[in-house]
Amino acid sequence: VEAFNMGALDYMHGDQDPVVWLARSKGLARYKQSTDMLGKLARIDGLTEIPNRREFDRVLEIEWLRAIRSEEPLSLLMLDVDNFKPYNDGYGHDAGDECLRQVALTIQATMRRSADFAARYGGEEFVCVLPDTDQAGAMALADSIRKNIEGLNIPHEYANGDRIVTLSSGVATFVASAQKSPVELVKAADGALYRAKQAGRNCVKAA
């Protein structure tokens, strides 16, 4: 009873038939695999197969609290695929989905540190959480991502200027404190992204 109250799923005693032991053990293993898969699906974006907005919110909260304790800067990148709606409308949704998958893979491949975290924020927007990273480091990474997306040379004849898919980025860096919140960091990065769009797209701006 105590074990069940602590979360046990089954109970087997020593004098049971070994065949029963094996069958019940396999059943528990299948249950564990199913719950693990459901947990993963709840955290992963189905299209790009990188973490989703819900997982981003969770990770950002954790890293914010860690940054308060360490007193190290925490940076956030907000990235947006330029002129994505005309791309999606012109080439079709299947091409649009493939474009987003390539962008997601490139963002992840550009980040070198295991602590850095990328997620799909929604639509054609992505975010990167960069612990222990100052503004200069965050700007450098954002520009590397921008160049690597440009280097994919995905044709985009419906873009106003560049004829390939490009990316705009907003960067925000905070020294976390109890007087601030991660929501403010997101708003700052979003504001910087807006300025990047106003500056002509395919560039990086800092808050």
Side-chain angles (χ1 to χ4, degrees):
V1 170
E2 184 177 348
F4 281 129
N5 287 338
M6 292 174 66
L9 297 175
D10 200 359
Y11 165 71
M12 295 178 280
H13 53 83
D15 59 353
Q16 280 185 331
D17 189 312
V19 176
V20 175
W21 268 89
L22 184 61
R24 291 171 75 172
S25 296
K26 287 182 176 178
L28 288 172
R30 286 194 297 270
Y31 177 82
K32 177 68 165 57
Q33 288 176 340
S34 297
T35 54
D36 287 350
M37 180 61 70
L38 288 172
K40 180 181 178 181
L41 290 174
R43 299 190 303 271
I44 299 298
D45 175 62
L47 175 63
T48 61
E49 296 184 350
I50 68 172
N52 59 19
R53 170 73 177 274
R54 179 185 297 177
E55 183 68 358
F56 161 71
D57 290 338
R58 188 187 72 83
V59 169
L60 180 60
E61 185 69 30
I62 291 171
E63 293 300 342
W64 181 266
L65 296 174
R66 183 177 289 128
I68 291 175
R69 292 194 300 270
S70 68
E71 298 182 347
E72 294 290 341
L74 177 66
S75 291
L76 180 70
L77 311 184
M78 185 79 71
L79 312 110
D80 187 82
V81 180
D82 296 324
N83 299 299
F84 184 72
K85 188 179 186 305
Y87 183 94
N88 213 30
D89 292 344
Y91 291 102
H93 293 291
D94 287 345
D97 288 349
E98 180 58 28
C99 174
L100 292 178
R101 278 191 285 267
Q102 289 191 50
V103 169
L105 286 172
T106 303
I107 291 171
Q108 278 202 320
T110 307
M111 297 190 306
R112 299 299 182 188
R113 303 185 311 169
S114 59
D116 294 342
F117 172 86
R120 186 182 181 193
Y121 193 68
E124 67 273 20
E125 281 192 317
F126 299 86
V127 284
C128 299
V129 181
L130 311 175
D132 301 339
T133 305
D134 60 16
Q135 186 183 80
M139 291 281 288
L141 178 61
D143 199 51
S144 293
I145 292 172
R146 182 194 66 77
K147 289 176 181 176
N148 288 344
I149 296 299
E150 201 174 37
L152 294 174
N153 287 310
I154 301 173
H156 189 351
E157 62 181 294
Y158 305 100
N160 294 329
D162 300 305
R163 292 300 175 180
I164 56 174
V165 169
T166 59
L167 195 74
S168 296
S169 304
V171 177
T173 302
F174 277 18
V175 176
S177 71
Q179 287 71 45
K180 298 176 183 176
S181 77
V183 173
E184 294 176 70
L185 182 64
V186 173
K187 287 182 178 178
D190 193 48
L193 173 61
Y194 178 78
R195 291 200 298 112
K197 293 290 188 181
Q198 293 296 104
R201 300 182 174 88
N202 192 22
C203 62
V204 178
K205 295 293 181 181

